[in-house]
PDB file of all heavy atoms in Angstrom:
ATOM      1  N   HIS U 542      44.227 -32.366  53.582  1.00  0.00           N
ATOM      2  CA  HIS U 542      44.930 -31.264  52.926  1.00  0.00           C
ATOM      3  C   HIS U 542      46.436 -31.558  52.911  1.00  0.00           C
ATOM      4  O   HIS U 542      46.991 -32.080  53.889  1.00  0.00           O
ATOM      5  CB  HIS U 542      44.655 -29.963  53.675  1.00  0.00           C
ATOM      6  CG  HIS U 542      45.129 -28.746  52.969  1.00  0.00           C
ATOM      7  ND1 HIS U 542      46.428 -28.291  53.064  1.00  0.00           N
ATOM      8  CD2 HIS U 542      44.489 -27.887  52.131  1.00  0.00           C
ATOM      9  CE1 HIS U 542      46.565 -27.199  52.324  1.00  0.00           C
ATOM     10  NE2 HIS U 542      45.404 -26.936  51.746  1.00  0.00           N
ATOM     11  N   PRO U 543      47.130 -31.231  51.824  1.00  0.00           N
ATOM     12  CA  PRO U 543      48.559 -31.560  51.740  1.00  0.00           C
ATOM     13  C   PRO U 543      49.446 -30.801  52.712  1.00  0.00           C
ATOM     14  O   PRO U 543      50.575 -31.230  52.985  1.00  0.00           O
ATOM     15  CB  PRO U 543      48.913 -31.213  50.284  1.00  0.00           C
ATOM     16  CG  PRO U 543      47.822 -30.315  49.808  1.00  0.00           C
ATOM     17  CD  PRO U 543      46.601 -30.695  50.574  1.00  0.00           C
ATOM     18  N   LYS U 544      48.961 -29.693  53.260  1.00  0.00           N
ATOM     19  CA  LYS U 544      49.766 -28.919  54.213  1.00  0.00           C
ATOM     20  C   LYS U 544      49.188 -28.952  55.619  1.00  0.00           C
ATOM     21  O   LYS U 544      49.930 -29.132  56.596  1.00  0.00           O
ATOM     22  CB  LYS U 544      49.873 -27.469  53.746  1.00  0.00           C
ATOM     23  CG  LYS U 544      50.681 -26.585  54.691  1.00  0.00           C
ATOM     24  CD  LYS U 544      50.739 -25.150  54.193  1.00  0.00           C
ATOM     25  CE  LYS U 544      51.510 -24.249  55.169  1.00  0.00           C
ATOM     26  NZ  LYS U 544      51.533 -22.837  54.715  1.00  0.00           N
ATOM     27  N   PHE U 545      47.877 -28.785  55.752  1.00  0.00           N
ATOM     28  CA  PHE U 545      47.236 -28.706  57.066  1.00  0.00           C
ATOM     29  C   PHE U 545      46.596 -30.057  57.403  1.00  0.00           C
ATOM     30  O   PHE U 545      45.570 -30.429  56.837  1.00  0.00           O
ATOM     31  CB  PHE U 545      46.189 -27.596  57.083  1.00  0.00           C
ATOM     32  CG  PHE U 545      46.750 -26.244  56.740  1.00  0.00           C
ATOM     33  CD1 PHE U 545      46.413 -25.619  55.546  1.00  0.00           C
ATOM     34  CD2 PHE U 545      47.627 -25.607  57.600  1.00  0.00           C
ATOM     35  CE1 PHE U 545      46.930 -24.376  55.223  1.00  0.00           C
ATOM     36  CE2 PHE U 545      48.159 -24.364  57.289  1.00  0.00           C
ATOM     37  CZ  PHE U 545      47.811 -23.744  56.091  1.00  0.00           C
ATOM     38  N   SER U 546      47.204 -30.767  58.326  1.00  0.00           N
ATOM     39  CA  SER U 546      46.822 -32.160  58.582  1.00  0.00           C
ATOM     40  C   SER U 546      45.462 -32.325  59.251  1.00  0.00           C
ATOM     41  O   SER U 546      44.926 -33.432  59.294  1.00  0.00           O
ATOM     42  CB  SER U 546      47.888 -32.843  59.452  1.00  0.00           C
ATOM     43  OG  SER U 546      48.013 -32.179  60.702  1.00  0.00           O
ATOM     44  N   ASN U 547      44.893 -31.246  59.792  1.00  0.00           N
ATOM     45  CA  ASN U 547      43.576 -31.373  60.430  1.00  0.00           C
ATOM     46  C   ASN U 547      42.450 -30.807  59.564  1.00  0.00           C
ATOM     47  O   ASN U 547      41.343 -30.599  60.043  1.00  0.00           O
ATOM     48  CB  ASN U 547      43.560 -30.724  61.819  1.00  0.00           C
ATOM     49  CG  ASN U 547      44.287 -29.393  61.849  1.00  0.00           C
ATOM     50  OD1 ASN U 547      44.491 -28.774  60.805  1.00  0.00           O
ATOM     51  ND2 ASN U 547      44.670 -28.967  63.033  1.00  0.00           N
ATOM     52  N   LEU U 548      42.724 -30.567  58.287  1.00  0.00           N
ATOM     53  CA  LEU U 548      41.694 -30.143  57.346  1.00  0.00           C
ATOM     54  C   LEU U 548      41.450 -31.256  56.323  1.00  0.00           C
ATOM     55  O   LEU U 548      42.401 -31.808  55.761  1.00  0.00           O
ATOM     56  CB  LEU U 548      42.107 -28.866  56.607  1.00  0.00           C
ATOM     57  CG  LEU U 548      42.416 -27.624  57.445  1.00  0.00           C
ATOM     58  CD1 LEU U 548      42.618 -26.423  56.529  1.00  0.00           C
ATOM     59  CD2 LEU U 548      41.316 -27.343  58.470  1.00  0.00           C
ATOM     60  N   TYR U 549      40.177 -31.549  56.082  1.00  0.00           N
ATOM     61  CA  TYR U 549      39.810 -32.639  55.173  1.00  0.00           C
ATOM     62  C   TYR U 549      38.671 -32.187  54.262  1.00  0.00           C
ATOM     63  O   TYR U 549      37.965 -31.215  54.558  1.00  0.00           O
ATOM     64  CB  TYR U 549      39.346 -33.868  55.968  1.00  0.00           C
ATOM     65  CG  TYR U 549      40.370 -34.410  56.921  1.00  0.00           C
ATOM     66  CD1 TYR U 549      40.491 -33.881  58.215  1.00  0.00           C
ATOM     67  CD2 TYR U 549      41.217 -35.450  56.555  1.00  0.00           C
ATOM     68  CE1 TYR U 549      41.444 -34.379  59.106  1.00  0.00           C
ATOM     69  CE2 TYR U 549      42.162 -35.956  57.444  1.00  0.00           C
ATOM     70  CZ  TYR U 549      42.266 -35.416  58.702  1.00  0.00           C
ATOM     71  OH  TYR U 549      43.202 -35.903  59.575  1.00  0.00           O
ATOM     72  N   THR U 550      38.494 -32.930  53.189  1.00  0.00           N
ATOM     73  CA  THR U 550      37.337 -32.698  52.328  1.00  0.00           C
ATOM     74  C   THR U 550      36.690 -34.021  51.955  1.00  0.00           C
ATOM     75  O   THR U 550      37.359 -35.071  51.918  1.00  0.00           O
ATOM     76  CB  THR U 550      37.705 -31.913  51.057  1.00  0.00           C
ATOM     77  OG1 THR U 550      36.503 -31.579  50.351  1.00  0.00           O
ATOM     78  CG2 THR U 550      38.603 -32.726  50.134  1.00  0.00           C
ATOM     79  N   CYS U 551      35.388 -33.963  51.708  1.00  0.00           N
ATOM     80  CA  CYS U 551      34.623 -35.141  51.280  1.00  0.00           C
ATOM     81  C   CYS U 551      33.600 -34.614  50.280  1.00  0.00           C
ATOM     82  O   CYS U 551      32.579 -34.048  50.669  1.00  0.00           O
ATOM     83  CB  CYS U 551      33.938 -35.801  52.481  1.00  0.00           C
ATOM     84  SG  CYS U 551      33.205 -37.409  52.140  1.00  0.00           S
ATOM     85  N   ASN U 552      33.878 -34.799  49.002  1.00  0.00           N
ATOM     86  CA  ASN U 552      33.156 -34.045  47.992  1.00  0.00           C
ATOM     87  C   ASN U 552      33.203 -34.761  46.647  1.00  0.00           C
ATOM     88  O   ASN U 552      33.749 -35.854  46.528  1.00  0.00           O
ATOM     89  CB  ASN U 552      33.808 -32.659  47.861  1.00  0.00           C
ATOM     90  CG  ASN U 552      32.823 -31.590  47.452  1.00  0.00           C
ATOM     91  OD1 ASN U 552      31.939 -31.827  46.633  1.00  0.00           O
ATOM     92  ND2 ASN U 552      32.962 -30.405  48.026  1.00  0.00           N
ATOM     93  N   GLY U 553      32.620 -34.130  45.627  1.00  0.00           N
ATOM     94  CA  GLY U 553      32.758 -34.588  44.251  1.00  0.00           C
ATOM     95  C   GLY U 553      32.024 -35.867  43.913  1.00  0.00           C
ATOM     96  O   GLY U 553      32.533 -36.687  43.145  1.00  0.00           O
ATOM     97  N   PHE U 554      30.806 -36.038  44.425  1.00  0.00           N
ATOM     98  CA  PHE U 554      30.065 -37.282  44.186  1.00  0.00           C
ATOM     99  C   PHE U 554      29.299 -37.291  42.869  1.00  0.00           C
ATOM    100  O   PHE U 554      28.727 -38.321  42.499  1.00  0.00           O
ATOM    101  CB  PHE U 554      29.069 -37.527  45.329  1.00  0.00           C
ATOM    102  CG  PHE U 554      29.721 -37.729  46.667  1.00  0.00           C
ATOM    103  CD1 PHE U 554      28.957 -37.663  47.829  1.00  0.00           C
ATOM    104  CD2 PHE U 554      31.073 -37.972  46.791  1.00  0.00           C
ATOM    105  CE1 PHE U 554      29.533 -37.856  49.074  1.00  0.00           C
ATOM    106  CE2 PHE U 554      31.664 -38.149  48.031  1.00  0.00           C
ATOM    107  CZ  PHE U 554      30.898 -38.094  49.177  1.00  0.00           C
TER     108      PHE U 554
END
Side-chain angles (χ1 to χ4, degrees):
H542 190 276
K544 179 181 178 182
F545 302 111
S546 61
N547 42 20
L548 301 188
Y549 301 86
T550 187
C551 190
N552 210 321
F554 297 166

